[in-house]
Amino acid sequence: MSTILITHIKQLVNVREQNNLLCGAALAELPVIDDAFILIEDGIIAQYGHMYELELLVPQLPNLVIEAQDQFVLPAWCDSHTHIVFAKTREEEFIDKIKGVSYAEIAAKGGGILNSAAKLNALTEDELFISAWQRLEAVSLLGTGAIEIKSGYGLTVEGELKMLRVIKKLKEKSKLTIKSTFLGAHTYPIAYKEDHEGYINLIINDMLPVIAAEKLADYIDVFCETGFFSANEMETICRAGMSYGLKPKVHVNQLNSIGGIQSAIKLNALSVDHLETMTDDDVKLLGKIGTSHQLNPSGSNATIATLLPTAAFFLRMPYQPARQLIDAGTAIALATDFNPGSSPSGNMNFVIALSCIQMKMLPEEAINAATINGAYAMELEKALGSITIGKKANLIFTKPMPSLAYFPYSFGTNMIDKVMIDGMFI
Ligand code: NIG
Ligand code: FE
């Protein structure tokens, strides 16, 4: 058995005996232990506590003891929304946007998602795997220990299956915990621009049965926006996915509020993601779901609001109304949306800083949203997202810092010293 003891940790962060999805005010409660130790056995958290309890809780010290003086130790980030399998970056559009062209105009001209799809369909599975693997390695060094990855740049039967097979291979080869989401309904491909029913039938009859047979996806996603998929179309596609056991986890309210949240809640979606454009009713509805879950956690699951502030930052859009959502009682998760069009970065540390600086989330709220609630948004809460006995030792060791708030405060500065995945430093 491999055993590692970490001692004299300045602060052990997000220590929880019990798993709870954090809604509303509960997001601000971040349990910590000062001057702490943590014991890891075979990659699993076996014990933790105050240094003064060490002798009592760990009577026999292991061979490997590491001192973490002045360091904070946190659960690794759980990034519950990304598109890291893609063929090429899109700097041309970045320049167009600087010159004043909008994201929607770029998409309407055949840029955007269609541009990425054309490039992706020209590459082999192996080529796509290599670049996605490099992105995965890069984000793990930035503290990400679990990640959700979507398809959606294929938009053909072959292209979507190719992407999902790449994700499956990443799952098999990577030490990170990965969840896979089928996003065939990312946009209408050119051939189906005037034939929505035809493309929806292709998704339902030609893509989903193979995806289910080869177990290529955990979730189903739809981009529900004006000019993309309507709320009704989203419902049809999600119900088809649900018939194969894929829970909805959907893109809604990025550019418009067209009933996507209402439909997603009706479908009992695991999460609604983006939420830059929200009406008061949208906020109230998500708050109501969170509040009733908080009052009766064993009742039905609450749909999680996954905020993607770097997408708003990169597209110069208004930020998600995090404060209103939290005050209404919503369960919030934070994710990067790493993709070549709207968020070409997978840096969760910047997501956390931006959430505090621009969305007025407290550091405690942001850290909870990026760890335990992110784990819930991938149904990984039993294995990840907090310092809990029996969970995986996926941990972030910070550089010396005066306080936890220093982490988002010093935005853009790499405060990570080391990352541990499955009990091993990477
Ligand atoms: O989540 N908005 C839809 N999908 C992605 C961006 C896709 C792209 O521009 O390539 C997102 O922001
Ligand atoms: Fe996205």
Side-chain angles (χ1 to χ4, degrees), residues 37-231:
F37 76 87
I38 183 167
L39 181 75
I40 297 150
E41 283 175 1
D42 287 337
I44 301 291
I45 298 169
Q47 191 57 275
Y48 61 80
H50 293 275
M51 276 308 288
Y52 61 73
E53 299 170 304
L54 181 61
E55 240 169 89
L56 182 76
L57 295 174
V58 187
Q60 229 181 340
L61 293 192
N63 290 336
L64 187 55
V65 180
I66 297 171
E67 290 229 352
Q69 212 116 38
D70 300 327
Q71 296 185 289
F72 290 68
V73 174
L74 295 84
W77 309 132
C78 296
D79 187 355
S80 61
H81 181 136
T82 82
H83 310 245
I84 67 157
V85 178
F86 58 85
K88 289 230 164 63
T89 52
R90 303 207 311 248
E91 304 87 278
E92 339 70 59
E93 292 176 10
F94 170 62
I95 303 290
D96 281 346
K97 274 181 247 147
I98 292 174
K99 291 181 178 162
V101 190
S102 78
Y103 184 63
E105 283 163 345
I106 289 171
K109 282 197 306 188
I113 298 166
L114 290 175
N115 176 358
S116 280
K119 287 172 176 161
L120 184 131
N121 280 297
L123 293 193
T124 65
E125 213 174 293
D126 287 346
E127 286 168 324
L128 288 170
F129 176 83
I130 291 169
S131 62
W133 179 263
Q134 287 164 349
R135 288 177 202 119
L136 210 51
E137 294 268 285
V139 299
S140 65
L141 291 169
L142 294 169
T144 297
I147 192 165
E148 180 258 17
I149 311 172
K150 299 172 194 297
S151 70
Y153 291 128
L155 308 179
T156 59
V157 178
E158 309 75 50
E160 287 299 309
L161 293 176
K162 183 164 69 178
M163 283 191 82
L164 291 168
R165 289 182 185 128
V166 171
I167 301 171
K168 190 175 184 183
K169 202 155 139 197
L170 293 169
K171 273 190 188 188
E172 287 160 7
K173 303 230 160 152
S174 175
K175 283 177 62 114
L176 302 200
T177 306
I178 297 174
K179 288 281 181 135
S180 167
T181 300
F182 170 50
L183 176 55
H186 201 180
T187 191
Y188 284 102
I190 296 161
Y192 290 93
K193 217 168 167 35
E194 305 305 328
D195 181 15
H196 288 192
E197 207 186 315
Y199 188 57
I200 293 173
N201 285 338
L202 192 75
I203 290 176
I204 295 176
N205 301 325
D206 295 24
M207 298 185 191
L208 274 171
V210 187
I211 291 166
E214 290 187 31
K215 294 195 173 31
L216 290 176
D218 302 296
Y219 304 112
I220 183 143
D221 192 351
V222 176
F223 188 35
C224 178
E225 285 294 341
T226 307
F228 294 81
F229 293 80
S230 70

Side-chain angles (χ1 to χ4, degrees), residues 81 83 150 186 251 274 308 337 339:
H81 181 136
H83 310 245
K150 299 172 194 297
H186 201 180
H251 282 76
H274 265 296
L308 312 168
D337 196 17
N339 77 77

Side-chain angles (χ1 to χ4, degrees), residues 212-332:
E214 290 187 31
K215 294 195 173 31
L216 290 176
D218 302 296
Y219 304 112
I220 183 143
D221 192 351
V222 176
F223 188 35
C224 178
E225 285 294 341
T226 307
F228 294 81
F229 293 80
S230 70
N232 278 338
E233 290 168 341
M234 177 177 82
E235 275 194 56
T236 305
I237 296 163
C238 285
R239 287 199 196 281
M242 288 160 78
S243 74
Y244 291 104
L246 309 182
K247 275 192 199 167
K249 205 171 151 54
V250 291
H251 282 76
V252 293
N253 294 55
Q254 180 184 13
L255 312 167
N256 302 281
S257 175
I258 56 165
I261 293 179
Q262 289 70 10
S263 292
I265 286 176
K266 205 160 69 182
L267 297 167
N268 198 17
L270 179 60
S271 67
V272 284
D273 304 25
H274 265 296
L275 314 186
E276 284 89 328
T277 310
M278 299 284 281
T279 66
D280 288 346
D281 282 348
D282 294 331
V283 173
K284 266 193 219 140
L285 185 57
L286 284 171
K288 211 174 94 192
I289 298 284
T291 306
S292 63
H293 177 79
Q294 189 109 57
L295 294 172
N296 178 19
S298 56
S300 74
N301 278 345
T303 296
I304 298 166
T306 301
L307 311 184
L308 312 168
T310 47
F313 170 75
F314 189 75
L315 299 180
R316 301 184 191 88
M317 288 189 59
Y319 286 91
Q320 292 83 359
R323 248 340 340 129
Q324 286 95 308
L325 284 163
I326 294 172
D327 293 346
T330 312
I332 304 282

